[in-house]
Every structure is written in structure tokens, then in C-alpha cells.
């Protein structure tokens, strides 16, 4: 859908913003450009809709060279969202959203109707349409920004740090909204951020840029986290890169067994066999600890978290209806985590059924990498060489009990 | 319209006297304006209700024509230099008051809080933190007030003063353009030089702003 | 002093003063004519210049320093100079008044254009607006409050300065000032001065009221001070 071919951008002041960028973004899906400031990610994005023209090289959108198209018309066919939304302060929210339809000559009535639909689509009440941007909260303004970009239903959406200026809670909401919208619309989205967590959360592909405008690596989040191309990428991904990877790996392949009959903690179920609480055995006065059952699509990171929070060290597994299907032990989750790290890209949470090459039956020693595995990451200090599950304090026996 | 160089040569002394008198009137007015506006601005900055009143009043003053200001002063101080200086001072006040208040407003709250947190008393904060940081905006006001004053002095020619402005009346009455041209050029030059000097003063007084603009 | 103000009051309300070919009503009309026409001409010259400089970013130095030059230019000298060059005509008055008004309008128009959030301009371009659409649909409406302030400022200055029309033997409210000065008639001088000040204040209030009405939807940061 979008292709960069040997694209260079050098600004008049002599700085090279983008260096020999070649990148192919297929139709549909979110490609995230990440990197620290001055790495050329925003310039690269802005070259797609000709807000910046490349010094050399070719950029194609939908097979057509952007430089051969009229810049204004090209931009009308591509959605564009920027930080702080960049809304027109002198126009109502509805008229802001209707900008591109009006530029395309749809007529005021049709443009406003489309704008009204989009307002709803991004989760804003219809009466918001009559307000002026400064009467909206930052998060609401950003939603309007997204609605405006989508108004003429462009196949491509460019988003330049769109959620950079809102607080973390609102940012998470906006990210969820975007993922929801993307499931409905399946646009080709290019998203710029300097926040690696945002990139991992939103991206189907992540392109990591280094200062000087070099593209260092472009891969799926799981692949990137598992096999960073070099130290720069590894540093950029951060010390918790292993945990981030687990957030992308689904729980589905972790083996489960029946809930234990013995042991100090009992999993209490309701009439429909839905988990209710962990209760200490030994009479009515036993302590109760809340249980947070997980589904197959939940991430290994949640499972790891729950296995620590659960007093029994066991994680309750349920099906889509919330009915208990079994429990997984802390050691099995740890093994799966180690495997996930070795496999890297194999089993993404976004496609839990993805063709992972026959996961190994998790041997108790699985936390130790197989000697032949040529995975540099596994030897790095940030690798997931967690202590062997059996060393986990206090509940070794309950862990074994399940297997 | 021809220019008479000979007239210029033969009136060198007169021109020098008029220039000095012109500059004296303008600068006195700016100094007086500063002396009056500084405490007023601090007051307007600290006491919110006063602020609207003082700024509103200075706005109204600005809408009164300069010639009218001079003339309205006639019953008070007559056809004297005092009238010229008072009239000009009123104009400088309008600019200086507004800019000084804006300058004080522009000092970041955090900086003031930092000064307070380190135990600086209000007066000391004003003198060592607020006024220095407000200086660029205040100096912008001083520059405007100075240039404006220099230009406005000539209006006082209608009430018999006016420094270089007297050349305009003179040339007008004798239908002789040379003194008028000389007057206009000298006024512009005075304003230009004064403005340039003030820019220099400002750069000397605010070294931090100097490096900041270089970086930006 | 009291007598003076009593006489002034009498002068201002006297019916004889208001009527006739050289009455206050006539002088007022002349004064307004000079002022409004001069401001209009100045706006026709200055607005395109200010918009162009603001839109392209070229010539910013000119826009910034023009106001300083305009302030430094002695209007009295300019009027006399043009009068001596052109003889008895309205030229000196209009040239001086336009020269006075142009810098304020250019500078404020430019300031209004540069005050438009670059993010908003970027977004406008990014949505596919052409240069003229960005200028007329985004920049101009957003710069309008400051542009209006510039026009207001220019008009006030022009009204105040239009008194000098009388200095070169034309009408307007300046007649009373200069005739009074010549006849040592303080009441007449004061009467003229008060009328000019009143016209300026009333026009200023009217324009700022209009401005407030036009931009009541704007966030306060975009409104003019």
C-alpha cells in the first residue's frame, strides 16, 4: 500500500533527516515508526502525504508515486492526525470533521451528515458537534482529530504522535478506541510515537529509527522484542523487553490440568462452574483471596502476574463464557514464558492460532535454553532466564500437584 | 521643491539647539513616565482590582489626540516647556504601564515560587527576580515610548514649543521646504539612534536573554 | 478654572455652534470623512501586505520595523512637506494620515498571522487545503481579532491626527483648535480638543464592541487584549 524506495531527505540547513529508507507497508494494519526525537520518523511520515518532499527516492501510495500527484488532492485522500489535534479553533466540532468532505465538494449537507456519523463512531455525543474545540477536553479533541481524518473514508491514515499530549489514562482509552476502530475499518495506518509501549500495543509492525534517519529494524512487535537487531534497538526496547514480549504471547498453549483436590487452597466455583474465590482449606474460618480467571486469549504476562498474586500459585483458566476449563501452574507458565522468548515471533497474541512451529512439550527444565538455540537475546542479561520454577518459594508442592 | 544646503550650513547652531531641546523634552518625559509607571505597574500587578482600572484608564488616555492633550493642559501650565513634558509623559505612561504589567505577568510562577521557597522576601523577590526577568518586555515598552515621544515633541510646536517641530511651522509659514525636510530627517534619525542605543542597553542588561536567543 | 469649564460646556451645547456651514455638525462630518477614508485607503494598502508577509514569512523584518518607523515619523512635518510640494489640496492630509495608519495595520496583521498556531496551519495543509484555502479559511479568520485591533488602533490615531487638516486650511474638528489658538480663544480650542477625544473614544468603544460581538465564540487566548 505504501512503499518507500531509497528515500533520502536532507533539509536546507544540511541535516539529514531520513537516510536511504526503503520500506514496504502492506494494505491494512498498523505500522508504527518509533525512535527518539530527531530520528526522522515524523519526517518519514510527512513525506507520505507530501507535507515534506523527499530529496531523492520514491514513495508510492496505492502504487502511485506521490510526487506525480497534486499535493492538496493527495492529502485529501489520506487521513492526517497530529499531536494536540490541530483543530480549527474558529469552527465547530462538526465543521472541523467536515473539512475534507467540504474540500472535496460534497456539499454542506452531505458533509455534515458524514461528520455526524463519525462523531458517533469515535464515541462522542451528537451535541458535541455544535461546540467549539476549546470547549472540549484534550482526549475529546483528539477523538475529533481522528474523526476529521476519517471523514472522507481515506484508505490510509497518518498519525503523528496523536496521543502524546494527553494523560496516561486517557491515552490508554484512546489507544483502545483506535484498536476498536481499526478492527471495524481496517485502514492502512502509519503511526509515529516515541513511546515503545504504545508501539507494542498498537503496532502490527514496528519500524525502529535511529538518529540520523536510519531505519534499524522493522518487524512485528513479538519478533522485535525477541530478536532486536542490535544493541541500539535492545536499549530502545528497554530492560523489561522480555515482559513486553510476554504481553504479546497468548496463554492458549500453556497446558492446564484439573484443579487440585489437595493443598492448602481450594478454588471455589459457583453453580455454573465459574471461579469465585480461592479459599484456605480447614474449616469455615479460612481466608479468602480473590481469583482473576484468565482466558486463552489473555497474555502470558497477565498469567505471570496472576500466578504471583494467586495464593496457590495456580491460575484459573476459563472459556469465553467464564466457565472453568482447568488451572495452570506457576512452573508451566514460567516454562511457556521461556519458550515464548525463544520462539520470539512465533505466537502473537493478536493471532493466537498463528502457526507456531509445534511448541515443545514444556519439560521441567525448559527455563534453561537448549544448548543449540542460536538466540543472542537469551544470553543477554535481559533474557528471561527466570529462576527455575521449582525454586519459586513456598509452594513447590502445589505447583507439582497439577501436573 | 529644491533643497537649500546653504540654509543648513548657516543654521547649524540653531539646529543643534533645537535638537538638544527636542531630545531633552522627549527623554525627560520617558524618565518621568518610568518613575510613575513602575510603582503603578507593581501595584496593578499585585492588586487585581486596580489592574483593570489602571489599564482601562491608560487605554482611554491613548484615544485622546496628542494635540488635544497639549491644549487641554494649557489652562494648567500655559505655553511652557512644562506643558510639553506633561503631555508627552501622559503618552509614555500609557505604553510603559501596559508593558511593565505585562512584563511582570510574564515572569513564570515557578520562578517566583522558587524564590519564595528559598526564603526571599517579597520586596527582594521583586527587585532581584521579577523586575530583571520582566526587563525585556519593559525595555520593549521603553523603546516604543522613546520613539513615540521623539516623534510627538514636534506636535508641541502648536503651543510654541516642539523642538525640531518648530522647523515645520517655520517652513510652512515661509513656504520654504528645506527646514521641514531637515526637521523630518533629524527627528527620524534621533528616533533611530535612540532606539538602537536602547537595544544595546537591553542586551547589556539581560545577558541571559542574549544567549537564549542565540540558541533558539 | 471653573469659569472656563462653564464656558466650555456652554460652547459645546450651544445650538449656534452646531448648525450652519461651519458648525460643529459639519466639522464633525468632515473629520469623520477624512478619518474613515484615510483608514480605508490605508487598510487597502496594508492588509494585503500584512497578510502576504504573514502567510509567506518573507519580509518579516519589514513588518516588525515598519511600526517603529511609523511611530518615529513626525506627522506634522510630513503634512507640511507634502503641502509645500503639492500646493493647496487634500493630498497632504490623506498622505500623512495614510502613512500614519499603514504601519499599525501591517504590523498587527502580521502579528495576527504569526499568532496562528502552526499546528493548526499544519493540520489545514495536511487535510489537503491549498495555499489560498489555508490563508482565507484558516489564517485570516484566526488572525482577524488582531487585525481588527490594528484597524482600531489606526483609526484612533488617524482621528486624533486628522486635526492637522485644519493646519493646512481644511476643515474637520481641528478648525476649532487652530482657529482658537490663533484667536487666543481657549474655550474654542478646548471645545475642539474635547470633541476629537470624544469621537476617538466613541469609535474605539464601538469597534471594540463589534469585535467582541464578532469573536464571542473564540477561546480567550485568541481574542485581542
Amino acid at each position: 500500500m505504501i512503499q518507500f524506495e531509497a528515500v533520502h531527505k536532507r533539509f536546507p540547513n544540511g541535516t539529514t533527516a531520513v537516510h536511504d529508507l526503503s520500506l514496504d507497508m502492506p494494505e491494512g494494519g498498523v505500522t508504527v515508526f518509533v525512535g527518539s526525537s530527531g530520528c526522522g520518523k515524523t519526517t518519514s511520515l510527512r513525506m507520505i502525504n507530501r507535507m515534506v518532499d523527499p530529496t531523492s527516492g520514491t514513495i508510492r501510495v496505492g502504487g502511485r508515486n506521490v510526487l506525480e500527484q497534486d499535493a492538496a488532492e493527495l492529502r485529501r485522500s489520506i487521513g492526517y492526525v497530529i499531536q494536540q489535534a490541530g483543530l480549527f479553533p474558529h469552527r465547530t466540532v462538526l465543521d472541523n470533521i467536515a473539512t475534507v468532505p467540504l474540500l472535496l465538494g460534497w456539499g454542506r449537507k452531505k458533509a455534515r451528515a458524514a461528520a455526524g456519523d463519525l462523531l458517533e463512531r469515535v464515541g462522542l455525543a451528537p451535541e458535541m458537534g455544535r461546540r467549539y474545540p476549546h470547549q472540549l477536553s484534550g482526549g475529546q479533541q483528539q477523538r475529533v482529530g481522528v474523526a476529521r481524518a476519517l471523514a472522507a473514508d481515506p484508505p490510509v491514515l497518518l498519525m503523528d504522535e496523536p496521543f502524546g499530549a494527553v494523560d496516561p489514562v486517557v491515552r490508554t482509552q484512546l489507544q483502545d478506541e483506535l484498536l476498536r476502530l481499526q478492527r471495524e475499518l481496517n485502514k492502512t495506518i502509519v503511526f509515529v510515537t516515541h513511546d515503545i509501549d504504545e508501539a507494542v500495543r498498537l503496532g502490527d509492525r514496528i519500524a525502529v529509527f535511529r538518529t540520523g534517519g536510519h531505519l534499524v529494524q522493522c518487524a512485528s512487535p513479538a519478533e522485535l522484542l525477541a530478536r532486536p537487531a542490535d544493541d541500539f534497538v535492545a536499549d530502545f526496547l528497554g530492560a523489561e523487553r522480555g515482559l513486553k514480549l510476554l504481553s504479546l504471547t497468548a496463554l492458549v498453549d500453556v497446558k492446564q490440568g484439573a484443579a487440585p483436590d489437595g493443598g492448602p487452597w481450594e478454588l471455589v466455583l459457583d453453580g455454573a462452574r465459574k471461579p469465585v474465590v480461592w479459599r484456605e482449606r480447614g474449616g469455615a474460618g479460612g481466608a479468602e483471596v480473590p481469583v482473576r480467571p484468565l482466558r486463552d486469549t489473555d497474555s502470558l504476562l497477565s498469567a505471570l502476574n496472576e500466578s504471583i498474586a494467586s495464593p496457590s500459585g495456580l491460575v484459573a483458566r476459563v472459556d469465553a463464557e467464564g466457565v472453568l476449563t482447568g488451572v495452570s501452574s506457576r512452573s508451566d507458565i514460567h516454562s511457556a514464558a521461556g519458550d515464548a522468548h525463544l520462539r520470539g515471533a512465533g505466537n502473537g497474541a493478536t493471532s493466537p492460532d498463528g502457526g507456531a512451529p509445534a511448541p515443545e512439550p514444556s519439560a521441567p527444565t525448559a527455563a534453561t535454553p537448549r544448548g543449540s538455540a542460536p538466540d543472542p537475546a537469551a544470553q543477554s542479561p535481559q533474557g528471561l532466564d527466570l529462576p527455575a520454577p521449582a525454586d519459586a518459594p513456598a509452594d513447590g508442592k502445589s505447583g507439582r500437584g497439577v501436573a | 521643491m529644491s533643497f537649500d544646503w546653504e540654509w543648513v550650513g548657516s543654521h547649524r547652531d540653531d539646529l543643534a539647539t533645537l535638537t538638544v531641546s527636542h531630545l531633552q523634552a522627549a527623554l525627560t518625559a520617558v524618565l518621568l513616565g518610568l518613575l510613575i509607571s513602575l510603582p503603578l505597574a507593581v501595584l496593578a500587578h499585585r492588586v487585581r482590582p486596580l489592574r483593570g482600572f489602571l489599564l482601562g484608564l491608560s487605554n482611554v488616555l491613548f484615544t485622546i489626540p496628542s494635540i488635544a492633550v497639549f491644549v487641554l493642559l494649557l489652562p494648567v501650565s500655559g505655553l511652557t516647556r512644562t506643558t510639553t513634558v506633561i503631555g508627552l509623559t501622559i503618552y509614555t505612561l500609557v505604553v510603559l504601564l501596559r508593558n511593565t504589567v505585562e512584563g511582570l505577568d510574564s515572569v513564570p510562577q515557578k520562578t517566583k515560587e522558587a524564590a519564595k521557597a528559598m526564603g526571599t522576601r517579597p520586596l527582594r523577590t521583586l527587585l532581584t527576580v521579577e523586575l530583571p526577568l520582566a526587563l525585556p518586555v519593559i525595555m520593549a515598552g521603553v523603546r516604543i515610548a522613546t520613539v513615540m515621544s521623539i516623534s510627538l515633541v514636534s506636535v508641541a510646536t502648536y503651543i510654541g514649543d516642539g523642538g525640531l517641530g518648530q522647523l515645520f511651522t517655520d517652513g510652512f509659514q515661509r513656504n520654504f521646504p528645506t527646514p521641514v525636510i531637515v526637521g523630518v530627517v533629524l527627528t527620524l534619525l534621533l528616533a533611530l539612534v535612540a532606539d538602537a542605543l536602547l537595544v544595546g542597553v537591553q542586551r547589556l542588561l539581560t545577558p541571559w536573554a542574549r544567549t537564549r536567543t542565540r540558541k533558539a | 478654572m471653573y469659569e472656563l469649564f462653564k464656558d466650555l460646556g456652554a460652547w459645546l451645547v450651544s445650538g449656534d455652534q452646531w448648525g450652519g456651514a461651519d458648525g460643529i455638525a459639519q466639522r464633525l462630518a468632515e473629520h469623520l470623512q477624512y478619518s474613515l477614508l484615510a483608514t480605508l485607503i490605508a487598510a487597502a494598502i496594508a492588509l494585503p501586505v500584512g497578510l502576504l508577509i504573514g502567510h509567506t514569512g518573507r519580509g518579516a523584518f519589514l513588518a516588525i520595523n515598519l511600526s517603529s518607523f511609523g511611530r518615529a515619523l513626525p506627522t506634522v512635518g510630513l503634512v507640511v512637506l507634502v503641502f509645500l510640494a503639492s500646493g493647496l489640496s487634500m493630498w497632504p492630509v490623506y498622505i500623512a494620515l495614510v502613512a500614519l495608519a499603514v504601519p499599525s495595520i501591517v504590523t498587527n496583521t502580521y502579528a495576527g498571522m504569526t499568532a496562528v498556531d502552526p499546528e493548526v496551519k499544519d493540520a489545514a495543509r495536511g487535510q489537503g487545503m491549498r495555499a489560498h484555502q489555508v490563508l482565507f479559511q484558516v489564517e485570516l479568520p484566526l488572525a482577524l481579532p488582531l487585525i481588527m485591533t490594528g484597524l482600531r488602533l489606526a483609526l484612533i490615531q488617524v482621528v486624533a491626527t486628522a486635526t492637522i487638516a485644519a493646519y493646512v486650511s481644511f476643515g474637520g474638528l481641528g478648525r476649532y483648535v487652530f482657529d482658537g489658538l490663533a484667536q487666543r480663544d481657549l474655550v474654542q480650542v478646548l471645545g475642539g480638543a474635547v470633541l476629537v477625544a470624544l469621537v476617538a473614544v466613541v469609535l474605539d468603544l464601538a469597534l471594540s464592541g463589534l469585535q467582541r460581538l464578532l469573536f464571542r465564540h473564540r477561546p480567550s487566548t485568541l481574542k485581542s487584549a
Side-chain angles (χ1 to χ4, degrees):
Chain A
M1 190 65 185
I2 304 171
Q3 291 146 305
F4 283 78
E5 267 176 40
V7 172
H8 275 272
K9 177 61 194 180
R10 183 197 285 271
F11 283 112
N13 67 10
T15 50
T16 298
V18 177
H19 182 86
D20 194 21
L21 175 64
S22 292
L23 187 62
D24 202 340
M25 287 168 261
E27 188 163 349
V30 182
T31 306
V32 182
F33 291 178
V34 287
S36 40
S37 51
C39 68
K41 57 189 191 296
T42 293
T43 307
S44 299
L45 177 98
R46 285 163 66 88
M47 286 193 291
I48 298 172
N49 67 348
R50 291 197 59 190
M51 294 299 280
V52 176
D53 277 345
T55 313
S56 66
T58 313
I59 299 166
R60 288 195 179 80
V61 175
R64 295 179 63 198
N65 186 342
V66 293
L67 289 176
E68 285 165 8
Q69 300 175 53
D70 175 77
E73 269 164 35
L74 173 78
R75 290 178 197 139
R76 288 172 199 174
S77 70
I78 295 176
Y80 183 54
V81 189
I82 59 176
Q83 193 174 3
Q84 316 258 358
L87 299 178
F88 305 137
H90 60 305
R91 291 191 178 169
T92 61
V93 165
L94 207 62
D95 285 343
N96 260 289
I97 301 176
T99 304
V100 178
L102 283 174
L103 287 172
L104 291 171
W106 288 16
R108 196 154 286 271
K109 206 172 159 197
K110 196 178 159 205
R112 285 231 171 113
D117 288 347
L118 272 158
L119 198 61
E120 208 172 318
R121 184 143 236 175
V122 297
L124 290 173
E127 60 265 25
M128 292 279 184
R130 286 190 297 275
R131 296 204 189 160
Y132 285 88
H134 71 102
Q135 297 166 315
L136 267 52
S137 72
Q140 288 170 332
Q141 288 183 14
Q142 211 48 258
R143 282 164 199 255
V144 176
V146 173
R148 180 174 66 176
L150 289 171
D153 199 24
V156 175
L157 201 56
L158 308 180
M159 308 183 81
D160 187 4
E161 300 202 29
F163 309 145
V166 292
D167 68 67
V169 175
V170 175
R171 190 181 310 158
T172 307
Q173 284 172 4
L174 290 170
Q175 288 166 351
D176 288 341
E177 286 282 314
L178 182 66
L179 288 171
R180 182 184 60 75
L181 272 173
Q182 173 62 358
R183 274 195 298 276
E184 288 173 21
L185 304 171
N186 196 29
K187 302 285 184 192
T188 305
I189 297 179
V190 185
F191 191 106
V192 165
T193 181
H194 57 255
D195 177 357
I196 184 64
D197 290 314
E198 187 167 67
V200 169
R201 219 168 119 72
L202 297 177
D204 295 313
R205 277 174 303 281
I206 299 176
V208 184
F209 286 77
R210 195 178 61 206
T211 315
H214 298 267
L215 173 67
V216 191
Q217 189 175 11
C218 180
S220 72
E223 163 104 29
L224 191 75
L225 288 164
R227 299 192 193 90
D230 58 17
D231 289 347
F232 173 81
V233 179
D235 278 352
F236 192 79
L237 294 171
E240 291 91 24
R241 141 170 93 80
L243 293 178
K244 287 187 185 105
L245 179 60
L246 293 187
S247 74
L248 293 172
T249 314
L251 190 54
V252 61
D253 293 328
V254 177
K255 67 176 173 180
Q256 44 185 320
D261 290 332
W265 292 87
E266 176 193 15
L267 181 58
V268 180
L269 303 176
D270 67 5
R273 289 194 53 81
K274 293 180 181 175
V276 181
V277 76
W278 287 108
R279 183 182 294 152
E280 206 168 7
R281 289 189 209 272
E288 290 189 351
V289 176
V291 61
R292 198 169 72 91
L294 298 175
R295 296 176 186 183
D296 284 352
T297 50
D298 282 319
S299 72
L300 266 180
L301 186 63
S302 319
L304 206 57
N305 183 56
E306 180 60 15
S307 76
I308 295 161
S310 161
S312 64
L314 296 172
V315 173
R317 305 271 300 266
V318 293
D319 62 16
E321 276 73 48
V323 176
L324 186 77
T325 56
V327 295
S328 294
S329 72
R330 192 177 287 170
S331 67
D332 284 339
I333 290 166
H334 281 195
S335 305
D339 283 351
H341 195 259
L342 287 175
R343 278 198 318 276
N347 181 8
T350 45
S351 54
D353 53 340
E360 310 246 1
S362 46
T365 54
T368 318
R370 280 136 304 200
S372 59
D375 182 3
Q379 285 130 33
S380 84
Q382 291 132 24
L384 266 178
D385 306 285
L386 299 170
D391 299 343
D395 54 348
K397 59 181 185 300
S398 67
R400 300 252 168 263
V402 181
Chain B
M1 194 160 67
S2 57
F3 190 77
D4 186 351
W5 283 105
E6 231 168 87
W7 180 88
V8 180
S10 59
H11 289 78
R12 230 180 271 152
D13 290 348
D14 291 345
L15 289 178
T17 315
L18 285 178
T19 307
V20 169
S21 147
H22 193 106
L23 209 54
Q24 203 183 35
L27 295 186
T28 314
V30 174
L31 280 180
L32 277 176
L34 263 179
L35 280 179
I36 301 170
S37 67
L38 216 57
L40 280 182
V42 171
L43 210 64
H45 177 68
R46 301 256 159 134
V47 188
R48 289 281 138 177
L50 261 180
R51 174 202 174 86
F53 171 75
L54 283 172
L55 288 181
L57 187 72
S58 76
N59 268 349
V60 172
L61 281 178
F62 195 68
T63 61
I64 301 174
S66 50
I67 175 72
V69 169
F70 288 127
V71 172
L72 288 169
L73 284 168
L74 284 183
V76 182
S77 46
L79 291 169
T80 63
R81 174 42 63 101
T82 316
T83 307
T84 312
V85 171
I86 296 179
L88 291 175
T89 305
I90 290 175
Y91 272 91
T92 62
L93 262 180
V94 173
V95 178
L96 291 172
L97 185 63
R98 173 188 298 272
N99 274 57
T100 311
V101 172
E102 272 174 16
L104 289 173
D105 286 350
S106 75
V107 179
Q109 194 64 34
K110 281 189 180 145
T111 312
K112 285 188 275 185
E113 269 169 25
K116 196 173 169 186
M118 285 183 287
T120 320
R121 290 184 204 288
L123 183 67
R124 205 182 159 81
T125 308
L126 178 72
L127 293 178
T128 60
V129 177
E130 291 180 79
L131 281 179
L133 286 179
L135 211 56
V137 186
I138 298 177
M139 281 303 290
V142 173
R143 284 174 58 192
I144 295 175
T146 306
V147 170
M148 212 175 63
S149 277
I150 289 174
S151 164
L152 273 179
V153 174
S154 45
V155 175
T157 186
Y158 298 134
I159 56 161
D161 190 4
L164 293 167
Q166 290 174 36
L167 295 172
F168 305 151
T169 344
D170 181 45
F172 180 59
Q173 279 157 2
R174 295 195 289 137
N175 198 5
F176 179 41
T178 302
V180 185
I181 297 172
V182 171
V184 170
V185 169
L186 281 179
T187 311
L188 283 176
L189 270 179
L190 274 187
L192 201 79
V193 170
D195 197 46
L197 283 176
L198 284 172
V199 173
V201 170
Q202 182 178 350
R203 286 174 66 87
L204 280 179
L205 286 177
T206 58
W208 64 89
R210 210 159 53 209
T211 48
R212 196 187 303 152
T213 44
R214 201 173 294 154
K215 235 184 268 168
Chain C
M1 197 67 165
Y2 171 73
E3 281 296 309
L4 186 70
F5 281 105
K6 211 175 96 183
D7 291 347
L8 180 62
W11 187 87
L12 281 172
V13 297
S14 133
D16 302 344
Q17 287 294 340
W18 279 86
D22 52 0
I24 295 179
Q26 172 66 22
R27 296 282 177 238
L28 191 67
E30 287 165 358
H31 202 96
L32 284 175
Q33 187 203 319
Y34 303 154
S35 312
L36 294 177
L37 193 58
T39 310
L40 222 62
I41 298 170
I45 299 168
L47 280 180
V49 174
L51 288 177
L52 208 69
I53 295 176
H55 182 69
T56 60
R58 275 177 219 143
F61 180 81
L62 178 79
I64 294 160
N65 289 285
L66 199 61
S67 67
S68 188
F69 179 79
R71 265 192 293 271
L73 198 66
T75 319
V76 185
L78 192 61
V79 170
V80 172
L81 200 60
V82 181
F83 179 82
L84 294 180
S86 69
L88 190 66
S89 72
M90 283 307 287
W91 280 108
V93 177
Y94 281 119
I95 287 181
L97 294 182
V98 169
L100 183 75
V102 163
S104 299
I105 304 177
V106 171
T107 306
N108 270 276
T109 305
Y110 170 76
M113 293 287 282
T114 50
V116 177
D117 187 348
E119 298 257 309
V120 171
K121 284 187 275 188
D122 188 76
R125 240 159 48 85
Q127 308 300 316
M129 285 192 185
R130 297 184 193 283
H132 70 272
Q133 287 168 323
V134 176
L135 176 60
F136 290 110
Q137 295 185 24
V138 178
E139 289 180 291
L140 183 61
L142 288 176
L144 213 50
L146 267 175
I147 294 176
M148 287 277 294
T149 303
L151 286 172
R152 219 175 87 203
L153 202 69
L155 184 62
I156 300 318
Q157 285 174 304
V158 166
V159 165
T161 315
T163 16
I164 53 168
Y167 188 58
V168 287
S169 20
F170 285 95
L173 294 167
R175 264 284 49 99
Y176 300 113
V177 176
F178 287 102
D179 288 353
L181 272 172
Q183 298 158 15
R184 300 270 155 209
D185 177 0
L186 202 55
V187 172
Q188 201 187 136
V189 177
L190 285 178
V194 166
L195 284 173
V196 176
L198 270 178
V199 171
V201 171
V202 167
L203 280 177
D204 188 40
L205 285 178
L207 279 180
S208 62
L210 180 73
Q211 209 171 336
R212 223 162 281 160
L213 196 74
L214 278 177
F215 305 116
R216 61 188 181 282
H217 295 306
R218 299 288 175 81
S220 54
T221 49
L222 282 170
K223 276 188 198 144
S224 64

